[in-house]
Amino acid sequence: MSKMISAKSKNICVVGDDSQSIYSWRGANFRNILNFEKDYKDAKVILLEQNYRSTKTILNAANSVIKNNIKKKDKNLWTDNETGEKIKYVRAIDEKEEASFVTREIKSLKEQGAMLDEIAVLYRTNAQSRTIEEGFLNSNIPYRVVGAFAFYSRKEIKDLLAYLKLIYNARDDVSLLRVINYPKRGIGAKTIDNLSMDAILNNTSIFDSINKGKELEFKKLILSMKEESNNLSLTETIDMVLDRSGIKADLESEHTLEADIRLENLQEFKSITKTFEEESGIASLEDFLNEISLVSDVNEQKDDTTAKVTLMTIHAVKGLEFKYVFVIGMEENIFPHVNCIDEQDGLEEERRLCYVAITRAKKKLYLLNTLKRTLFGKTSVNMPSRFISEIDEEYIDMPEKRTVIVNQKRIDKSKMFNEDNGLKAGDNVIHETYGPGVVVNVDKSIATIAFKGQGIKKLMKNHKSIKKV
């Protein structure tokens, strides 16, 4: 809010310049401004219309969006600040291009003298942070995730990874101890302590020490999932683990917003496996776990004096401000969110969130979306967010209505697969990475191939990296 107001009256409503925010006092209770005026006919409404944060361009852009709401308190924010730059609109090819642009632009801003803690990346859902985090990690850009853990540090992702590691290596005691009683199976702390002691005394793994009780049912579950995973792709394996472990059912049974977010993050993990399979052609759990180990093992960055880029949801950013703001995922079904599009109240709340996002920027604002996006393990083509078209053209830089960022190193996934190559057991093949090999088994889309000196690998059978000889 621009200014603080003190008042002796019990019935005062103050409508601030912050995100079409509505602050009202009756005692210590916050109330919606429209309901407040309806309930208290003698209410005095004070509009704080001067903005001290953003440039004229950013503020006018926000006003041009929010005016499309029907249920609002009419006010026209203004500022004495400079006119400022036009909003930069970027339409990338996919979510990796989107992250690549953000990364490159932040490096450029830093070279021009910007401090990293003056920069924020905003998104509608927590799961969208993953590709940005990976881009920052690969480019050594320090960051902090506000209001949530970094993607690979989230509990549900650690739980899923523990199951995957246990399926690959049942003697991984750390992973076993993490999930042996998650979801709850009635395996108590005393039982676990006894198993750990038996393993130490017998110089073996905890898994090998299991021979009875409910823990034996867990052991059988892991062995069964290991066998089933042999004929599944990585993405299919994720679905299988979520179902058979009980993680999915456990979260669905909670019926809470937090559980829904955890489920979204688990679905987003399938985007990682899907991309890995498409780009590398590898369906081996061992190779996948090795590939992501450097990222997933990154510890939570400790609070220190190092400046960091801020990553957070738009819901969490209310009341904050940054010189440079990137809003990613500006697409229909993402922002506005698919659950809100068909409801007037829901759409108006999404538009208020857009107003929040725009007015967080003090100096420069970037709005980004993609031609196609893989999110929650599914690739979709979404139209640009309607909120972009609601911004008056004089405030936004969008030549020909869209800008496409092209990365010369980008992999065209559509060209990574052949037509059915007819692979069958006994065929000799050459692989780009592993060299000569012999097909051991073919099951649906998966080929199991033995390579000289490389061992047995699971591969996507029609991937272009495999050639019959």
Side-chain angles (χ1 to χ4, degrees):
M1 195 183 301
S2 313
K3 294 181 178 178
M4 294 298 294
I5 287 199
S6 60
K8 295 180 179 179
S9 171
K10 292 182 179 179
N11 294 343
I12 291 184
C13 262
V14 181
V15 184
D17 75 338
D18 181 13
S19 73
Q20 280 278 313
S21 299
I22 297 163
Y23 300 91
S24 60
W25 282 263
R26 182 168 178 80
N29 295 323
F30 290 91
R31 298 177 60 82
N32 180 282
I33 178 67
L34 301 177
N35 291 336
F36 191 91
E37 288 184 291
K38 180 180 178 180
D39 294 343
Y40 304 102
K41 303 300 184 182
D42 61 339
K44 181 179 182 181
V45 177
I46 301 171
L47 301 181
L48 304 182
E49 296 182 301
Q50 184 173 4
N51 178 285
Y52 298 88
R53 178 193 308 113
S54 306
T55 64
K56 288 184 173 69
T57 295
I58 291 172
L59 197 60
N60 289 335
N63 284 334
S64 65
V65 171
I66 202 64
K67 72 181 181 183
N68 292 280
N69 269 6
I70 297 173
K71 295 182 179 181
K72 65 180 187 298
K73 186 67 181 179
D74 288 332
K75 58 177 180 169
N76 187 35
L77 299 188
W78 59 275
T79 184
D80 284 331
N81 294 341
E82 63 181 351
T83 299
E85 299 181 43
K86 283 189 174 183
I87 295 168
K88 178 69 174 179
Y89 171 52
V90 177
R91 186 154 173 78
I93 294 172
D94 57 25
E95 69 280 0
K96 284 196 170 183
E97 292 285 341
E98 182 182 62
S100 179
F101 173 83
V102 172
T103 300
R104 294 196 306 270
E105 192 67 15
I106 287 176
K107 285 184 174 181
S108 176
L109 290 172
K110 187 178 179 183
E111 289 173 358
Q112 297 171 39
M115 299 294 293
L116 292 182
D117 55 9
E118 297 175 327
I119 303 172
V121 181
L122 309 180
Y123 36 82
R124 177 63 176 79
T125 62
N126 275 292
Q128 290 173 256
S129 75
R130 181 186 62 81
T131 52
I132 298 294
E133 288 185 56
E134 291 181 354
F136 285 179
L137 288 169
N138 291 332
S139 300
N140 295 317
I141 295 177
Y143 68 91
R144 64 189 183 109
V145 181
V146 176
F149 289 105
F151 186 80
Y152 288 100
S153 296
R154 293 167 188 170
K155 178 186 181 301
E156 61 275 16
I157 301 302
K158 287 185 173 183
D159 292 336
L160 176 57
L161 279 171
Y163 271 105
L164 295 177
K165 291 176 180 178
L166 201 54
I167 289 171
Y168 166 62
N169 175 19
R171 292 174 176 81
D172 184 340
D173 287 349
V174 174
S175 295
L176 181 143
L177 290 173
R178 181 176 184 91
V179 297
I180 189 172
N181 197 41
Y182 176 73
K184 292 191 179 300
R185 300 181 173 88
I187 302 175
K190 185 175 181 180
T191 298
I192 295 172
D193 288 342
N194 290 337
L195 288 172
S196 299
M197 183 59 66
D198 288 344
I200 293 172
L201 294 175
N202 296 316
N203 193 28
T204 186
S205 68
I206 296 176
F207 191 85
D208 289 336
S209 298
I210 295 175
N211 56 24
K212 62 180 180 180
K214 295 177 180 178
E215 57 271 30
L216 181 58
E217 294 303 311
F218 172 75
K219 182 176 184 176
K220 290 178 179 178
L221 171 65
I222 297 299
L223 293 173
S224 175
M225 289 196 293
K226 182 180 183 70
E227 181 177 357
E228 188 173 347
S229 70
N230 290 331
N231 298 319
L232 299 176
S233 69
L234 288 169
T235 305
E236 290 169 338
T237 296
I238 300 305
D239 278 326
M240 181 268 292
V241 171
L242 293 179
D243 286 334
R244 296 199 55 194
S245 68
I247 291 178
K248 183 177 179 181
D250 183 68
L251 290 172
E252 288 177 340
S253 68
E254 288 188 25
H255 302 294
T256 64
L257 177 59
E258 182 181 357
D260 290 344
I261 292 173
R262 291 186 187 278
L263 281 169
E264 283 189 346
N265 290 333
L266 290 168
Q267 293 299 319
E268 175 59 13
F269 193 87
K270 293 194 294 185
S271 300
I272 305 173
T273 56
K274 183 177 181 180
T275 300
F276 180 77
E277 289 171 330
E278 289 176 338
E279 294 186 355
S280 69
I282 299 172
S284 165
L285 186 55
E286 175 187 6
D287 291 285
F288 173 69
L289 291 173
N290 288 337
E291 177 72 17
I292 68 168
S293 62
L294 292 178
V295 179
S296 61
D297 288 343
V298 172
N299 293 325
E300 278 292 296
Q301 301 183 46
K302 297 179 180 180
D303 290 332
D304 52 31
T305 57
T306 303
K308 297 179 177 69
V309 178
T310 299
L311 275 61
M312 62 197 314
T313 64
I314 299 167
H315 278 101
V317 77
K318 293 180 181 180
L320 301 179
E321 57 187 47
F322 302 87
K323 278 190 178 180
Y324 310 94
V325 171
F326 297 80
V327 185
I328 65 172
M330 293 288 293
E331 299 152 35
E332 292 289 298
N333 298 321
I334 296 178
F335 192 31
H337 195 275
V338 63
N339 293 342
C340 306
I341 288 178
D342 295 330
E343 303 175 2
Q344 179 176 304
D345 288 347
L347 182 58
E348 293 210 348
E349 179 58 28
E350 292 290 291
R351 189 173 282 112
R352 282 189 283 271
L353 281 175
C354 183
Y355 183 97
V356 170
I358 292 173
T359 56
R360 297 312 92 197
K362 297 167 65 177
K363 184 175 181 180
K364 192 166 185 177
L365 175 66
Y366 301 80
L367 302 180
L368 296 95
N369 56 27
T370 65
L371 290 170
K372 61 180 180 178
R373 181 182 299 275
T374 301
L375 187 64
F376 309 135
K378 298 179 180 179
T379 300
S380 59
V381 177
N382 296 319
M383 295 292 291
S385 171
R386 68 191 69 191
F387 301 146
I388 292 174
S389 63
E390 291 176 356
I391 298 175
D392 293 345
E393 291 187 359
E394 62 182 298
Y395 305 127
I396 186 167
D397 177 17
M398 45 190 306
E400 299 180 1
K401 300 297 181 183
R402 76 180 187 191
T403 301
V404 178
I405 303 300
V406 179
N407 184 341
Q408 297 299 324
K409 296 182 180 180
R410 179 177 173 273
I411 298 174
D412 187 347
K413 296 177 182 177
S414 66
K415 298 180 180 180
M416 294 307 294
F417 290 87
N418 296 306
E419 295 297 326
D420 192 343
N421 53 21
L423 278 186
K424 61 183 182 300
D427 284 346
N428 293 309
V429 298
I430 290 287
H431 189 271
E432 290 179 357
T433 302
Y434 303 127
V438 178
V439 178
V440 176
N441 183 53
V442 176
D443 188 302
K444 297 179 182 177
S445 63
I446 305 299
T448 304
I449 304 175
F451 294 97
K452 185 177 180 179
Q454 301 289 339
I456 296 177
K457 302 290 184 181
K458 281 172 54 182
L459 304 170
M460 307 300 289
K461 73 170 187 177
N462 294 333
H463 198 266
K464 283 190 173 293
S465 58
I466 304 172
K467 293 183 179 179
K468 291 175 66 174
V469 295

